Each structure stands twice: as C-alpha cells, then as structure tokens.
Amino acid sequence: MDTSSQKAADEVIARSRALDVPIYAVSVVSPLDDPPRPPSSGRRSRARPAAAALTLSRYASLSGGNPPFRVSDATGLAVAASRIAGELKHQYRLGWDAPEGAARYRRVVVLSTRKGITVRTRSGYVPPS
C-alpha cells in the first residue's frame, strides 16, 4: 500500500513519458500477504493492495518497464533485482524522425518477426516542441 507518494499516478506516468524513463517496480510485501499463503483473517480488505498493484502495472506497461515483481523475502528481492539488471543490460534504442505535427502524445508499436523474442516498449511519446 502506498503511504507516502507526493504525486498522483497520472503525474508519475506523464513525467516518465516526458523523461523517456522506463519504470521497474518491486512490491515488497509481508510474507503473511504473499498470494500463495492463505490470509490469516477474512476481515482484511484486499481492495487497496489490488489497486496499488494495478497502479504499479500501469506504471510499468506505459513506460516500457517490466511488469512489477511482488516479493516477500530476500531471495525474491534478489531474483527481481537480477532480472531487472539483466533486462537493462539487453536493451536497444530505436530512433526515427517523427513526422511534423502538434506536440501531443503519439502511440508507438514495435513488433518483431523473430520467434521467441519479447518486445517491450513504452506506449508512446510526446515530441519536443
């Protein structure tokens, strides 16, 4: 659960797009809240954690980052960090001359014809004005 953000989710996503920065998120949760384990009480609301997880997924997908990791121990955290580092080592930057037009958000779609390749990109960009 987010307890200290100073910006709204939409502001963070807009800033990420403007700076061309992918977001990689890691949720560190209590082992008691880890999904494979049954909850200790049926009274706890799962709505807030679910909304937070959805926000992190949105951050990652719109910015071109990896889907968020959810970890509850040091081993899970090490695996998440290793995967993020591995992905950052194998990135490519594509460039092109954007067509003239208003400085508004433009969608981007990148596809690969090579089998077994996962392409992850940010969803678009705002050209400099």
Side-chain angles (χ1 to χ4, degrees):
M1 181 168 44
D2 182 357
T3 60
S4 58
S5 287
Q6 296 178 0
K7 302 284 183 191
D10 289 337
E11 290 177 277
V12 172
I13 291 168
R15 186 80 170 150
S16 168
R17 286 178 171 168
L19 295 173
D20 188 18
V21 176
I23 296 173
Y24 292 85
V26 179
S27 292
V28 180
V29 298
S30 163
L32 297 175
D33 292 331
D34 206 6
R37 300 175 190 216
S40 58
S41 166
R43 295 182 186 180
R44 278 181 94 174
S45 170
R46 297 261 183 218
R48 290 184 83 181
L54 183 61
T55 298
L56 289 178
S57 290
R58 198 166 154 233
Y59 283 168
S61 69
L62 292 176
S63 71
N66 205 359
F69 293 92
R70 183 179 167 112
V71 302
S72 60
D73 58 20
T75 302
L77 187 57
V79 168
S82 177
R83 288 187 183 166
I84 292 169
E87 183 168 310
L88 291 173
K89 289 179 187 176
H90 295 94
Q91 289 185 342
Y92 292 90
R93 182 171 291 275
L94 301 176
W96 67 93
D97 291 326
E100 295 292 325
R104 60 178 171 70
Y105 186 75
R106 299 177 184 181
R107 272 184 41 86
V108 171
V109 177
V110 178
L111 304 171
S112 173
T113 57
R114 190 171 175 190
K115 291 184 181 186
I117 297 295
T118 300
V119 176
R120 192 176 304 115
T121 66
R122 59 188 175 144
S123 58
Y125 70 101
V126 177
S129 52

